[in-house]
Amino acid sequence: MAPASTSAYENVRAAIADKGSDARVEVNQRALIDKILARYASAGAVYRELLQNSNDAEATTAEIIISTSKENSTPLHNTASSSASININTSKETVTQVIYRNNGHPFRPQDWARLRKIAEGNPDETKVGAFGVGAYTMFSICEEPLVVSGKRGEEEAMAFFWKGDGLWTKTGKAPPGIVNISATLSNEKDENNWTSFILPSRDPYPLPDLVEFGQFLTAALTFTQCLANIKVYVNQTLQLDINKTILESYTIATPKASSWWKNDGALISSSTGMFVLGKGSDLTQTSVQMTVSLRKDVSNPDSAMETSTVRARYASAMVKTKIPPDVEKRIIRVTKKNPPKELTVQIFLDAANHDEDDESLTIKRNTKFNLNKLANIGTKQSMASKITDSFSPTPGSGRIFIGFRTSQTTGFGVHLAAPLMPTVEREAIDFVDPALREFNSSLLEVAGILMRLALEHEMNRIGMLWEENAEERKQWEISREEEKRKQKEKDESNTKSGGNAAAASSGAKDTDNDNDSIAGSLFGFASYMARGFKSTVVEAIKTVPEILGEDDETTELLNPRDDRPLSMEERDAIVLMKAFCARPSTPDDLVGQYLAKGFSRCLPSQTPPVLTMDGVVRGKDARLCHHGLEAFGVPNVVRRVVHENAKEYHSMVAGCPRLNINDLIMSLREQVLEEAMLIRFLKWWPKFCRIDNGVERFGIRLKEAVRYQTNSENASPKKQTEKVEEPEVVQVNRLESILYYTDRKFPDGLPLPETTFSPSLQKRIGQRTLENNFYRDWWSVLPFEIWTSFIVYHSCMTKGLYPENTIRRMSIVAISKHFDSLERKGRYLELLAPIKDSPFLPCDTDGTDSNTTTALKCPSELYLASSDLSAFEGCGDFHKVAKSLTKEGVSEEFLLAMGVRKTISMDFLFGHLDTLKWNENPKPLINYLLNADLSRQDLLKLRSTCYLPAENDRSSLYAPSDLYLKNDELKIFPFVKFLQWNSSEGMPSAHREFLIKLGLRVDPPLSSIMTFMERESSKTAEARDHETHGAALRYLTSRLGPSGLYESDFKHYRHFKFLPCIRQDLETGEVVNEMQSPSACYYNPSCLVMGFSVLDPTLDQIQIANRTKCEKDPPTQILLKRLMQLV
C-alpha cells in the first residue's frame, strides 16, 4: 500500500489537472538581472565577461573605445557602476559611452538566440560559460546595450530595451558603416569582422585609472588561448596597448625511474583516479612576452608612449578524465552540460622584467643579475612598468583562473587556469555540491602534480645552464681575488707611506635531522597549507654581531661576504622558488591543501630541487648557510642571498636542512685547505662556539679532520735557462699534529718542532686567537723543555753546518737563558745530554771568533773564555768558548754544566807532570788545584789517580788515599807512607784541607792498626818489638773512649789478642807472659790465684781496661765453673 502522503499528492495533482486553469510563471526580469549583477562583487566584471566571450570566439584582438566628456556630473556609486570601474581617474573626465569589440567569429543564429535567453549557458563542454548570465553584466553600466556582429557589410544588430520590468530585444540588419569606426581610429585598411558591444553610460562615471585598468586587462590575458591584443582608446586616441607574444614552446618530460630524479617515476594521476595527466606532447612549457605601451599623458594625444616588457613561462597539460557515471550524472544535472572527456590545465610559473630600454634584453643567461633590480629597490618605475610588474604574482597570491581571474588564491606565487566548476559569479570554486566538490578537488590535485613537474623541469634546465657557465663563474672569482690582492698591496703601500688608506672591507644548537622521512616532510607541507603561516621578518646578518658585541671581522666570519652578483641562473631560480613559497589560500584554504596534496604526491620519495653553489640538487641533499659554516667548502650549500629570497621554499617545500658540524667535518676530510682558509677557520671557530655552546664537544673531531697546505715563502727562484718546469710538490699538513704555539716570550727566528705552528702562520692567525679558551684542548704554549728536546736533535746542533751558524748561536743563547732561570736544573740537564758529546759550541782559535772560523768543539774539549791557562803554556793547544757567546748572554754556569772546563783537564795535567816537574814536589800542583774550579769528575779523578809522591820513596806515585799527612805518631806504623812535602814552614791549612778532601789520610784505619798489632802479638817474646807494640797500644787506647776516633768500630776487634797479660800456672805456680784479647783478661791482680789472665801490671791497667772494655773480675758463672774445675 502506498504511503498516505504519496496518495494525497497524486490525488491533488489529478484533481487540478482536470478542472484547474493554466498560467505561465512570470519573471521580473529587471529585478532578476539586478540580483544577478549583485553577485559580481569584483571590479571590471563586464570587461571580464566580454573578454571571456572574445576568447571563446577565438578573437585575437579586442578594443575598448571610451568616449568621455568634461561635464561635472556626480556619478552614482551603485553596484552596477562598480562592476565596470577599476579605480577613478583624478581627472574630471567622465565616461559617456564604451564600445567593446573583438575580431572573433561573428555571431551565429544560435549565438543570437542564446543572447536573448537568461540562464542558458554555452552547451560546448570545452567552453567556460555554464550559466548563461555573463553577458548580462553589460547592464551594470548600460541601460539598453546594443550588439552588432557579422561579416563586413552584412552586420546584424540586436538592441535591448525595457518595457516596464520586462526586457525585450529587437534584431535587424545594421545600416552600412554605422558602427565601423576603424576610420576614426586611423586604421582605414582594417578588414576584420568585428563584433561590437555599444554601451552608453546609464550614469556617467569617472574615467578609470589607466594603470590599474591596464593591470586588470593584463591579468585578463594571462591564460587566453586566442586573445593576444587589447587596445584601449579614449576619445579616438590610443592610450593603452597590450600584446602577448608566444616566444617558444617545448615538451616537459615526465620523471621516470633511473632519470635524474633517481629513485622512482612521478605519479601523474589524482588519488581518486578521476584525472590523469597526459604524456609526451601533452605536457608543454611555453614562454611568452607581454608588452605594454601606455601614453604618458592621457589628456595630451601627442604625448609619447612608454613601453615595458615582461616575460613569463607557462606549463600546460592535457588531462584525460575518467569520471564515475554517478558523479557525471550529478554534474550534468547541476551544469546542464556534459563534463569534458579531456581538458587543459595551465599554470603561470613566473615573470621577469625585460624592458626594451633595459640592457637585460641583450644580455644572455650567463650575465650577472642585480638583486636590487629584482626587488625594484630604489628605482623609479614608469607607469607602463607598473602594469607589467603586476603580471607576476607575489608569493602566495597566485589566482585561480576559470576562464578569467577569480578572487580565489592558490597559496603559491603561481596562477592556475583550469575548467573548475565555479559558483554562479565565477569568483570562487564550488565545494558545496558533493559532485562538484569531488570533481574540483581531484582537478586541483592534478594541477598540483603539474606544478611539481614544471618545477622539476625548470630546475633541471637551470642546473644544466649552471654547469655550462661554471667556467665563467670561476674566472669571476679569480678576477675578484686579483682585485683584492691589488687593493691590499695598495693599502699596505699607503700605510707604509703614512697615508690614510681605507681599510678593505673584505647558531643555536643544531637540531636538524637528515634522516627524517622525505614523504613525511612533503605531506607535512600539505598540512602546513591547512594550518596557516605567520610571516616574520628576520635580519639574520644583523643579529649575530649584536649578540657578540664585536667588530666587523666577527660579522664577516659568521656571515661570509658573498659579493658575486647573481647569475641569470640564480635569478631564474629565485623567481621560480619564490613562486612556490607557500601561503594558505584565500578565501578558501581547501584550494591550497588540494594543490599541496598533488604537489607532494607527484614525487613522494624526493624532495623538490634547489639551486646550490654546486648546482641543482635535492632539498634533502642541500644545506642552508649557518653562521659561517658555508665558507669552508661544504658541498651543495645554498647561497645566502638565494635562500633569503625564498625562505619558505627552502624550509617548508624543499626541506633543506641547515649546515651543521657533521657536514663540516665530512667536507674537511675530503679537502685540503689553503693557508688563508685555515686562518679563517681558526678565527671562526671560537666565535661560532660562543653563539652555539653545544658544538664545542665536536672540537677534537673537527681538528682531526682538517688538512691544510701553507704558502711556500722561501721557494728558490728558478734559473732562466730552465725550460721544463718541475711540478711543485705541495706539502699537506694535518692540524691534529699541531700541539703547540709559541708565546710572546719565545725568541724569534728559532727552529720549531713540526708539532708547532710556524712563526709566519702563527702571526697571520694571531696570538689572541690561538690563546682562546675554546682551543684549550687543541694546543698549548710550547714548553721550553719540549723545544729543547727537539733542538738537541736538530741539524744545527748535530751537524755543524756553516749556513746554520746563526740559528745555532741563537739556540745556544736561548737554552742558556732558560737554564739560568731554573731553580732545579738537574732535569733540564738530562734533556741536554744528547749534545754534551756533540761539537756544537763555537770556539776562539788563534784569537779569532768562531763566526768566521766556524770552529766547533764538544763542551768537554773547551775552556771558559775567562780561564787563566798561562801556567800551562808550551804544554799543548787549549780551546776556549767564543767570547761572543758570553756577550750574547750565554752564562758560564750553563757552560760549566754542559761540561766546559774552567781548569785544565786532569788527563792533560797528569800527562804533563814530568814536563811541569810536579812529580817530585806536589806543592805547585796543589796550589793550582786549590785555586781551580774543579768539576765532580775532576775530583773523582784526583781521588783515584796515582800522581802524588811518597816521602823517601821515589819508586812510584800514589793516590791521595794511599798517603798520610806528615805525623810523627804514625812513624811507628810501617804501613804508613807520608806525602812528600818539601817545605820548612809546614803545610798551610788550606792545602791540608784540600788534600784531605781528595782522600789524603790523617789517621790510619782501625783495621790496619789491629791487623798490625795482632801480627806483632803473635810473634815470640824475643822476636817481638816491645817498644813499637807498646807505642801502638798507647796510640790505640788514646783514640778509644767516648769521643775516640775508633770507639764505634772497636767492638768488632775485642776478640783480637793484642793486650800484654800475665797468668799464674796453678800446677807449678809459675807466672807466664802472654797476649790476650780484651774479652779474655781482667785487670784485678787477685784473679791470678784462680788462673785467669790479668793485664800486665807494668801497664796503665785502669786506662787500658776502660778504653778496651776489659772487665775487672770474671763473671760469677765463670768463677763457679773454674772453681768446680779446681775441686
Side-chain angles (χ1 to χ4, degrees):
M1 183 177 179
S5 59
T6 303
S7 299
Y9 173 80
E10 292 177 349
N11 291 335
V12 173
R13 286 189 64 88
I16 63 174
D18 295 337
K19 300 179 181 180
S21 60
D22 294 338
R24 184 175 183 176
V25 176
E26 296 183 358
V27 177
N28 187 329
Q29 293 175 323
R30 183 181 292 277
L32 177 61
I33 291 175
D34 287 344
K35 290 179 179 180
I36 290 175
L37 294 176
R39 297 284 293 172
Y40 287 85
S42 63
V46 61
Y47 298 110
R48 186 189 70 182
E49 295 296 338
L50 293 174
L51 289 167
Q52 176 65 60
N53 293 336
S54 302
N55 190 61
D56 289 343
E58 299 181 2
T60 58
T61 302
E63 294 181 347
I64 302 172
I65 304 146
I66 302 174
S67 299
T68 66
S69 68
K70 294 186 177 293
E71 297 178 1
N72 295 325
S73 60
T74 302
L76 298 176
H77 299 284
N78 52 31
T79 303
S81 64
S82 66
S83 297
S85 63
I86 305 301
N87 191 7
I88 63 172
N89 196 290
T90 55
S91 69
K92 295 182 180 181
E93 297 284 336
T94 56
V95 178
T96 58
Q97 178 178 281
V98 173
I99 298 177
Y100 175 89
R101 64 180 192 166
N102 68 75
N103 65 349
H105 297 300
F107 273 26
R108 299 167 299 176
Q110 59 265 37
D111 297 325
W112 289 113
R114 281 201 307 272
L115 192 59
R116 288 192 294 267
K117 297 178 182 179
I118 299 176
E120 186 173 325
N122 191 337
D124 188 347
E125 63 189 35
T126 64
K127 305 300 182 183
V128 174
F131 302 104
V133 297
Y136 285 85
T137 55
M138 294 184 294
F139 291 92
S140 65
I141 61 173
C142 178
E143 184 70 12
E144 295 180 339
L146 176 65
V147 181
V148 179
S149 181
K151 293 183 179 180
R152 178 176 291 277
E154 300 177 5
E155 293 91 345
E156 294 184 14
M158 177 182 286
F160 291 84
F161 61 94
W162 293 95
K163 291 184 180 181
D165 291 330
L167 183 61
W168 295 74
T169 64
K170 284 189 177 183
T171 306
K173 188 171 180 62
I178 294 298
V179 295
N180 187 3
I181 60 171
S182 297
T184 64
L185 300 179
S186 301
N187 193 6
E188 297 178 356
K189 297 182 181 181
D190 182 13
E191 296 181 357
N192 286 313
N193 295 318
W194 294 98
T195 297
S196 303
F197 299 81
I198 305 173
L199 308 173
S201 299
R202 177 192 301 116
D203 301 304
Y205 52 88
L207 179 68
D209 181 85
L210 290 183
V211 172
E212 293 194 12
F213 194 35
Q215 292 173 344
F216 168 80
L217 296 176
T218 302
L221 287 180
T222 302
F223 290 106
T224 55
Q225 297 296 318
C226 301
L227 190 60
N229 177 229
I230 299 176
K231 291 181 170 64
V232 177
Y233 295 86
V234 177
N235 298 326
Q236 287 76 47
T237 301
L238 180 62
Q239 299 289 345
L240 177 63
D241 189 2
I242 304 172
N243 278 284
K244 182 170 76 171
T245 306
I246 296 178
L247 300 178
E248 59 181 347
S249 183
Y250 42 85
T251 301
I252 298 177
T254 305
K256 299 178 181 179
S258 301
S259 71
W260 82 282
W261 284 277
K262 296 180 182 178
N263 293 339
D264 56 346
L267 300 175
I268 57 175
S269 63
S270 63
S271 57
T272 61
M274 191 177 295
F275 298 100
V276 179
L277 284 179
K279 297 182 179 180
S281 60
D282 291 339
L283 277 72
T284 59
Q285 179 166 302
T286 304
S287 296
V288 301
Q289 178 172 289
M290 191 74 73
T291 304
V292 175
S293 298
L294 178 65
R295 197 170 299 280
K296 292 184 177 181
D297 188 355
V298 176
S299 62
N300 182 8
D302 297 326
S303 62
M305 299 284 282
E306 57 184 15
T307 301
S308 179
T309 302
V310 66
R311 292 178 184 173
R313 284 174 289 185
Y314 297 84
S316 63
M318 187 65 69
V319 179
K320 300 184 183 301
T321 63
K322 190 177 181 181
I323 302 174
D326 59 328
V327 177
E328 182 177 12
K329 183 178 179 180
R330 285 181 285 159
I331 292 175
I332 293 173
R333 181 184 58 81
V334 175
T335 63
K336 299 299 183 293
K337 62 181 180 180
N338 294 324
K341 298 300 181 183
E342 61 180 21
L343 50 85
T344 301
V345 176
Q346 290 180 291
I347 61 172
F348 173 100
L349 287 178
D350 61 38
N353 288 336
H354 292 289
D355 296 334
E356 291 182 357
D357 57 352
D358 191 343
E359 294 179 359
S360 58
L361 274 176
T362 59
I363 297 177
K364 298 182 179 180
R365 286 196 174 274
N366 59 2
T367 305
K368 310 305 176 290
F369 181 78
N370 190 334
L371 184 61
N372 288 339
K373 187 171 182 180
L374 176 66
N376 292 321
I377 297 174
T379 58
K380 184 178 180 180
Q381 290 181 286
S382 65
M383 290 189 296
S385 65
K386 289 181 180 179
I387 295 176
T388 55
D389 285 348
S390 68
F391 191 51
S392 177
T394 58
S397 68
R399 295 294 186 90
I400 297 292
F401 283 67
I402 307 177
F404 283 88
R405 186 170 63 180
T406 70
S407 59
Q408 176 66 51
T409 67
T410 61
F412 297 94
V414 178
H415 293 317
L416 167 64
L420 296 157
M421 299 299 180
T423 54
V424 174
E425 75 287 357
R426 276 200 287 145
E427 288 292 337
I429 302 173
D430 195 334
F431 288 117
V432 177
D433 183 85
L436 299 186
R437 180 173 64 249
E438 187 173 356
F439 179 92
N440 289 331
S441 61
S442 297
L443 186 53
L444 286 171
E445 190 176 332
V446 169
I449 293 174
L450 177 59
M451 288 182 181
R452 180 65 185 275
L453 294 178
L455 171 66
E456 297 281 349
H457 180 269
E458 276 301 295
M459 290 301 290
N460 185 28
R461 181 187 64 82
I462 291 172
M464 290 187 292
L465 290 173
W466 182 264
E467 293 178 1
E468 291 174 5
N469 297 323
E471 183 62 28
E472 182 174 352
R473 291 192 301 275
K474 180 179 179 182
Q475 292 301 321
W476 188 94
E477 294 287 351
I478 294 174
S479 299
R480 182 183 63 171
E481 292 301 322
E482 181 65 20
E483 290 176 1
K484 287 183 177 180
R485 184 187 65 79
K486 291 180 179 178
Q487 183 63 38
K488 183 178 179 181
E489 293 177 354
K490 181 179 179 181
D491 292 342
E492 291 177 351
S493 176
N494 291 340
T495 302
K496 291 179 180 179
S497 62
N500 296 323
S505 301
S506 300
K509 292 186 178 180
D510 197 342
T511 58
D512 294 336
N513 187 353
D514 294 341
N515 297 321
D516 288 347
S517 169
I518 297 172
S521 172
L522 287 172
F523 285 103
F525 158 61
S527 63
Y528 150 81
M529 291 292 289
R531 69 174 180 269
F533 173 82
K534 183 178 180 181
S535 180
T536 58
V537 178
V538 180
E539 296 181 12
I541 296 180
K542 193 174 181 180
T543 56
V544 172
E546 290 177 352
I547 293 173
L548 297 180
E550 295 193 12
D551 52 17
D552 292 340
E553 182 185 59
T554 300
T555 302
E556 203 281 329
L557 288 173
L558 296 176
N559 300 279
R561 184 184 180 190
D562 184 4
D563 53 2
R564 177 174 64 81
L566 282 172
S567 66
M568 186 60 73
E569 295 81 24
E570 289 170 321
R571 175 250 173 224
D572 282 351
I574 288 175
V575 174
L576 184 62
M577 292 186 293
K578 282 172 72 70
F580 287 91
C581 291
R583 302 285 192 279
S585 59
T586 59
D588 197 333
D589 59 3
L590 286 175
V591 173
Q593 295 177 46
Y594 289 133
L595 289 172
K597 181 180 179 181
F599 186 93
S600 304
R601 286 186 66 254
C602 181
L603 290 167
S605 63
Q606 296 293 333
T607 54
V610 298
L611 177 61
T612 70
M613 288 185 276
D614 296 303
V616 173
V617 300
R618 290 291 166 193
K620 69 180 181 63
D621 299 323
R623 292 295 182 268
L624 301 179
C625 296
H626 181 56
H627 294 325
L629 283 151
E630 61 272 20
F632 305 109
V634 181
N636 297 330
V637 175
V638 179
R639 282 185 75 185
R640 186 182 299 273
V641 64
V642 175
H643 172 233
E644 289 292 329
N645 280 277
K647 283 186 176 180
E648 292 87 352
Y649 177 86
H650 288 94
S651 59
M652 293 304 303
V653 181
C656 300
R658 71 182 184 187
L659 277 171
N660 57 51
I661 291 298
N662 288 325
D663 296 325
L664 179 59
I665 291 174
M666 288 189 291
S667 174
L668 291 175
R669 287 173 178 167
E670 300 299 324
Q671 60 177 307
V672 177
L673 297 181
E674 298 288 343
E675 182 177 301
M677 191 56 66
L678 172 69
I679 295 170
R680 180 188 182 92
F681 170 79
L682 295 178
K683 290 184 176 181
W684 164 82
W685 176 246
K687 300 181 185 298
F688 181 65
C689 289
R690 289 180 61 184
I691 59 175
D692 192 345
N693 293 328
V695 302
E696 187 178 355
R697 68 182 185 275
F698 294 95
I700 298 302
R701 286 181 56 200
L702 195 61
K703 182 185 180 186
E704 292 172 352
V706 175
R707 296 181 301 164
Y708 67 95
Q709 63 185 45
T710 56
N711 298 334
S712 54
E713 299 177 355
N714 300 318
S716 57
K718 295 184 177 181
K719 298 179 181 179
Q720 296 180 354
T721 56
E722 294 183 1
K723 296 183 180 179
V724 180
E725 294 185 359
E726 296 182 359
E728 182 180 357
V729 178
V730 178
Q731 181 179 358
V732 177
N733 308 294
R734 288 191 171 274
L735 191 60
E736 64 177 330
S737 65
I738 301 298
L739 304 177
Y740 308 106
Y741 64 92
T742 56
D743 58 13
R744 295 174 178 84
K745 298 179 181 179
F746 195 86
D748 294 333
L750 294 178
L752 295 173
E754 292 183 354
T755 55
T756 308
F757 281 109
S758 66
S760 60
L761 180 57
Q762 179 172 323
K763 182 179 180 180
R764 295 187 63 188
I765 296 171
Q767 195 77 17
R768 289 182 58 187
T769 298
L770 296 175
E771 292 173 350
N772 194 287
N773 191 47
F774 288 107
Y775 287 130
R776 61 184 179 276
D777 296 329
W778 292 40
W779 43 63
S780 59
V781 175
L782 176 64
F784 209 87
E785 287 72 15
I786 297 295
W787 177 81
T788 303
S789 300
F790 155 77
I791 200 65
V792 294
Y793 293 104
H794 192 272
S795 60
C796 71
M797 304 295 283
T798 59
K799 295 184 178 181
L801 301 177
Y802 175 77
E804 296 180 325
N805 277 355
T806 302
I807 295 176
R808 183 185 307 108
R809 297 174 73 91
M810 292 172 60
S811 300
I812 295 172
V813 172
I815 294 173
S816 173
K817 289 182 178 180
H818 181 71
F819 176 84
D820 295 340
S821 67
L822 298 175
E823 293 183 1
R824 299 181 179 180
K825 309 179 188 302
R827 172 60 182 161
Y828 191 66
L829 287 174
E830 293 178 7
L831 298 177
L832 298 174
I835 59 172
K836 283 192 173 181
D837 296 328
S838 299
F840 72 93
L841 284 177
C843 62
D844 290 338
T845 57
D846 300 329
T848 60
D849 197 301
S850 60
N851 271 337
T852 56
T853 60
T854 67
L856 300 175
K857 297 290 184 180
C858 298
S860 58
E861 298 174 345
L862 295 176
Y863 296 88
L864 295 178
S866 60
S867 297
D868 182 9
L869 304 178
S870 58
F872 304 97
E873 291 182 0
C875 295
D877 296 328
F878 304 102
H879 302 286
K880 293 184 178 182
V881 176
K883 293 180 181 179
S884 57
L885 281 184
T886 304
K887 295 178 181 178
E888 293 171 7
V890 179
S891 68
E892 290 189 351
E893 181 183 10
F894 164 72
L895 293 173
L896 291 173
M898 290 300 297
V900 175
R901 307 191 60 82
K902 184 177 181 180
T903 58
I904 201 72
S905 166
M906 291 300 103
D907 292 335
F908 179 87
L909 183 65
F910 296 145
H912 291 78
L913 288 179
D914 289 338
T915 305
L916 297 171
K917 299 180 181 180
W918 288 355
N919 55 346
E920 295 181 0
N921 181 14
K923 184 176 180 180
L925 173 63
I926 301 304
N927 282 333
Y928 171 78
L929 295 176
L930 185 62
N931 296 319
D933 187 1
L934 301 175
S935 65
R936 182 181 299 178
Q937 290 77 7
D938 292 341
L939 291 175
L940 289 175
K941 187 167 289 188
L942 287 171
R943 290 190 182 102
S944 59
T945 305
C946 297
Y947 59 92
L948 293 176
E951 192 176 65
N952 301 322
D953 185 358
R954 296 186 177 182
S955 61
S956 62
L957 298 175
Y958 297 90
S961 60
D962 296 332
L963 301 177
Y964 293 82
L965 287 174
K966 191 66 175 291
N967 186 349
D968 293 340
E969 288 184 295
L970 299 181
K971 290 181 178 181
I972 59 175
F973 299 113
F975 59 82
V976 171
K977 292 183 178 298
F978 295 108
L979 173 66
Q980 175 68 36
W981 191 263
N982 300 329
S983 176
S984 59
E985 299 177 355
M987 182 180 295
S989 59
H991 293 63
R992 177 187 177 89
E993 293 176 0
F994 176 72
L995 288 169
I996 293 174
K997 180 180 179 181
L998 293 180
L1000 194 69
R1001 298 179 182 276
V1002 177
D1003 295 291
L1006 179 61
S1007 59
S1008 299
I1009 294 175
M1010 296 306 299
T1011 301
F1012 168 74
M1013 294 188 67
E1014 186 180 36
R1015 187 173 60 251
E1016 286 297 319
S1017 299
S1018 63
K1019 294 179 180 180
T1020 61
E1022 293 78 9
R1024 182 184 310 126
D1025 186 347
H1026 293 282
E1027 184 178 355
T1028 299
H1029 184 275
L1033 181 59
R1034 289 191 297 273
Y1035 181 86
L1036 173 64
T1037 55
S1038 66
R1039 285 163 176 75
L1040 293 175
S1043 57
L1045 176 65
Y1046 304 133
E1047 176 65 22
S1048 61
D1049 295 331
F1050 183 71
K1051 59 186 176 182
H1052 303 296
Y1053 299 98
R1054 293 189 70 245
H1055 62 281
F1056 276 43
K1057 295 180 179 181
F1058 65 91
L1059 290 177
C1061 296
I1062 59 174
R1063 178 175 59 80
Q1064 183 179 4
D1065 190 337
L1066 296 179
E1067 294 181 359
T1068 62
E1070 181 181 2
V1071 177
V1072 296
N1073 292 316
E1074 62 179 359
M1075 294 291 183
Q1076 282 294 345
S1077 65
S1079 60
C1081 65
Y1082 309 97
Y1083 66 88
N1084 186 353
S1086 303
C1087 294
L1088 287 174
V1089 297
M1090 297 292 294
F1092 291 105
S1093 296
V1094 178
L1095 284 175
D1096 190 340
T1098 61
L1099 302 175
D1100 187 350
Q1101 291 181 326
I1102 301 300
Q1103 183 180 6
I1104 292 175
N1106 289 337
R1107 297 293 177 87
T1108 60
K1109 303 298 187 293
C1110 181
E1111 299 291 338
K1112 179 179 179 182
D1113 299 302
T1116 303
Q1117 292 181 347
I1118 294 178
L1119 285 174
L1120 290 175
K1121 184 178 180 180
R1122 178 59 61 88
L1123 182 61
M1124 293 296 294
Q1125 292 175 351
L1126 295 177
V1127 174

